[in-house]
Amino acid sequence: MRSFSLFILTFMSVTCYSQSFEERVTEVCNVGLTINNLGMIGNAFKGDFNLIGSPSAEFPLNSGVEHAFQGGIWIGALLNGNQVAVSTAYSDAPNGYTTGAPNFEMTAEVGSGITERSNEVNSPFYSPNAVSQQDFVSYFTDKNITVPGTDNTQISGHDNPMGLEVKYEVYNWNFPFADFFVILDFQIINNGNNTLDSMYVGILVNGVVRNVNLTPPGGSVFYSQGGNGYLDSLYMSYDFDAAGDVGFSDSYQGEKFLGASDKEGFKHPLIDPNFKLHYSSWFFRNTNSLFYSFPDTEQKRYQKMTQGLNQLPCFYDVNDPDCQANGGTSSGKSYWEELREPGNRSNLISVGPFAQTLPGDTVNVAFAMVYAPMVKTINSSETQNLDLPEERVQFVTNAGWAQTAFNGEDANFNGVLDEGEDLDQNGKITRYILPTPPDIPNTKIESGDNFIDIYWTANSETSIDPISQEMDFEGYKIYLSKLGFDVENQSNVQQSLVLFKQYDIKDNQIFFDNGFDSIRLDSPIQFEGDTNQYFYRLRIDNILNGWQYAVSVTAFDRGDKENGISSLESSALGALKRVYPGTRENPDIEKKDPFVYPNPYYAGASWEGPSIFEEDRKLNFANLPAKCVVRIFSNAGDLVDEFRHDGAYDGSDIRWYDTYSASNQTEFSGGEHSWDLLSKDNQIISRGLYLFSVEDLETGKTFNGQFVIIK
């Protein structure tokens, strides 16, 4: 359904905009990153008219923890050796992307958009050319000084186009060791008539890490609480929430350089001392600061790309002799220390110089957007994130995995295909070859009164690892969340999953050797409308009704000692289901009474969480028929609200599930439906006695009951 709707939206974006502007959101990994076909990331917390309300740079998915306002590629060079030219996809725009506005200098031809690909053979987007489980591919250019398809709408300030054509590819995976980064790959072709000297390529990101479920975007205070930094060993700038929603947004976003190439070969500072990475940061739209000023001319932008703060002696140590010889800093702190204080800043990393780029030459540059939870320790502050080294441990690990993904066959990272590295035997370095766990098991969830049944298929058992070329399946793991995870740690569901059971191949001296007999069905079963055959079932008993549980079944392999790869496990988040146990469909409401719980309802139900919004209230109607209408009345007999219930119920009719759940993952028992305690006119109801009726639409029978609200 989603792919069909996006096809319609793509058509609309072509016909309703002057040029083909299209946005998409990464959905396979645990990052909801908006990208578009003009070389940008993020959506300025608004999205285009098709994707309003979609995440900008959310991690983890469905957490409400956002990381970026907007960002985009920068390309700078000297035209024919002297004239400065910088073309930018984005640069500090208070309202985000606007057609023809200054610094939005990349355009797409009318009729072009974003193509989706996948390397998964069972995906509707499968392509043998795909790199990841979800690729987005688009093309844009800097050659136009007017917006394509318009009546000569000028692109403000775009006076020196270089004639560049760019192929923009975005990759993401759901493997547990790769679901926290998104790779941005830019193939830049000089299709103009100019020779481009001293070319630099960078990415600018206006990061803002906040929990938008607690603090909706808007106003200077929202944007002014961010901290920034740069890790030279990782070639990565980063963003974090220094003093905004501390405790609810403890997360990092990194902008990491992975590698580049031009006609001379592979480029990276580690193998070429003349090729450098420059890091710059400035206050959003502020031109008054000496070192943190917004570059409002092409000359200033090129200067930022070629003279980074990280190259200055005062960057890390204000006591450095060279720093002191140049007068130190006005604050007495290093730039590194200043950047970690709360503020509204943009980060720019740029790399170069590339070889003289003649017409027809190509430059390829890859960056990664890396995400990780902040590891809180006893030394962490409760009121301000200090960005301590121990808090960055997971962040550094995740950045390493992003680099590993890029390296692919280039194991020693020298840009040369050495002996034993050509795994796919194609005679050249293939990047983005990842060791892969078995396929995610296909699961089916059924729940009832205080229990959850998990069924899954055997598709994982025939998975072939792309490196060893073997079927190396070993076993299954079943995860169950802690009770109340949704209201305590919704920002990181994966951390709330606890290993519940593990089963693996018997008598092969690997792991538990406990076999599958206790969970294997006597014969596989199928469910109505489902073509899958389910070979396994596990029942979880003693579950509380009405509470949200996250469950997941993963498959793991036996590892590959020859290649130094430990056992790999499929994504727990990729298989995640959110289950709400409760009463099943009620065949006869005259024999089994519908009811409401909690009853009485006090100031709030314990499952409602810390939200301060009245819209996030929830109580449940239970023992409902398969198809019915529920009506709520005041004690005086006035209709307060009504809703229909059927088998398609997914919780999406009230806000609680938007805040604490995800309707595309939810599984309900069939006989329960939640209500938000708001009237049909969305008014907050008062305390008192309420009456309700349940009308069974299949039998015509009616039941009347009551419940109490105490505030």
Side-chain angles (χ1 to χ4, degrees), residues 240-370:
F240 62 96
D241 182 11
D245 300 315
V246 174
F248 298 93
S249 57
D250 299 335
S251 185
Y252 283 105
Q253 170 181 266
E255 303 89 25
K256 177 172 171 54
F257 170 63
L258 299 173
S261 62
D262 62 10
K263 60 188 177 184
E264 292 183 344
F266 185 61
K267 296 286 186 180
H268 195 281
L270 285 173
I271 62 173
D272 182 356
N274 296 315
F275 188 85
K276 298 184 182 300
L277 185 146
H278 295 272
Y279 167 66
S280 292
S281 184
W282 56 80
F283 290 109
F284 189 83
R285 304 295 295 180
N286 186 315
T287 58
N288 298 321
S289 175
L290 178 60
F291 289 104
Y292 306 121
S293 62
F294 166 69
D296 56 358
T297 67
E298 287 199 60
Q299 287 74 20
K300 291 179 181 179
R301 286 193 282 275
Y302 188 69
Q303 185 178 38
K304 293 285 189 184
M305 298 184 77
T306 59
Q307 300 177 32
L309 288 171
N310 61 315
Q311 306 295 337
L312 299 177
C314 295
F315 185 71
Y316 283 115
D317 184 4
V318 73
N319 296 313
D320 183 279
D322 290 334
C323 176
Q324 292 296 314
N326 286 281
T329 63
S330 59
S331 67
K333 301 176 181 178
S334 67
Y335 302 134
W336 163 261
E337 293 172 302
E338 291 177 349
L339 287 164
R340 294 158 75 195
E341 296 176 347
N344 182 7
R345 290 175 289 259
S346 296
N347 279 338
L348 172 71
I349 56 171
S350 61
V351 291
F354 290 93
Q356 188 180 64
T357 307
L358 303 173
D361 286 348
T362 298
V363 170
N364 200 96
V365 184
F367 300 98
M369 300 299 297
V370 182

Side-chain angles (χ1 to χ4, degrees), residues 5-25:
S5 63
L6 285 174
F7 172 81
I8 297 298
L9 297 181
T10 302
F11 175 77
M12 291 174 63
S13 68
V14 170
T15 57
C16 296
Y17 279 90
S18 55
Q19 65 173 330
S20 293
F21 175 75
E22 185 182 356
E23 291 180 325
R24 296 292 297 272
V25 181

Side-chain angles (χ1 to χ4, degrees), residues 62-199:
N62 304 308
S63 67
V65 182
E66 286 283 9
H67 295 74
F69 179 76
Q70 203 157 30
I73 189 174
W74 282 31
I75 307 171
L78 301 177
L79 298 182
N80 302 313
N82 49 46
Q83 185 180 11
V84 171
V86 178
S87 292
T88 60
Y90 164 82
S91 181
D92 286 19
N95 297 313
Y97 171 71
T98 303
T99 303
N103 303 317
F104 293 106
E105 297 170 327
M106 306 302 185
T107 58
E109 298 304 319
V110 173
S112 67
I114 297 175
T115 300
E116 182 171 347
R117 306 179 308 203
S118 175
N119 61 11
E120 293 190 317
V121 294
N122 60 348
S123 167
F125 301 103
Y126 172 73
S127 168
N129 298 319
V131 172
S132 70
Q133 291 166 303
Q134 186 182 48
D135 298 358
F136 293 131
V137 183
S138 60
Y139 298 84
F140 59 86
T141 179
D142 86 325
K143 69 180 181 180
N144 298 308
I145 59 174
T146 60
V147 179
T150 67
D151 187 16
N152 294 320
T153 299
Q154 199 80 17
I155 301 174
S156 180
H158 189 37
D159 301 322
N160 296 311
M162 290 178 273
L164 302 173
E165 304 280 352
V166 183
K167 184 180 183 182
Y168 180 27
E169 300 194 5
V170 178
Y171 313 135
N172 72 115
W173 295 262
N174 69 12
F175 305 142
F177 53 85
D179 69 354
F180 38 72
F181 60 80
V182 177
I183 288 177
L184 315 176
D185 188 279
F186 298 94
Q187 182 178 315
I188 305 162
I189 306 171
N190 181 2
N191 273 345
N193 299 316
N194 297 301
T195 296
L196 305 179
D197 290 296
S198 300
M199 177 189 282

Side-chain angles (χ1 to χ4, degrees), residues 632-641 680 690-691:
I632 300 117
F633 301 91
S634 70
N635 195 29
D638 298 320
L639 180 65
V640 174
D641 198 8
K680 62 181 184 298
Y690 288 85
L691 312 176

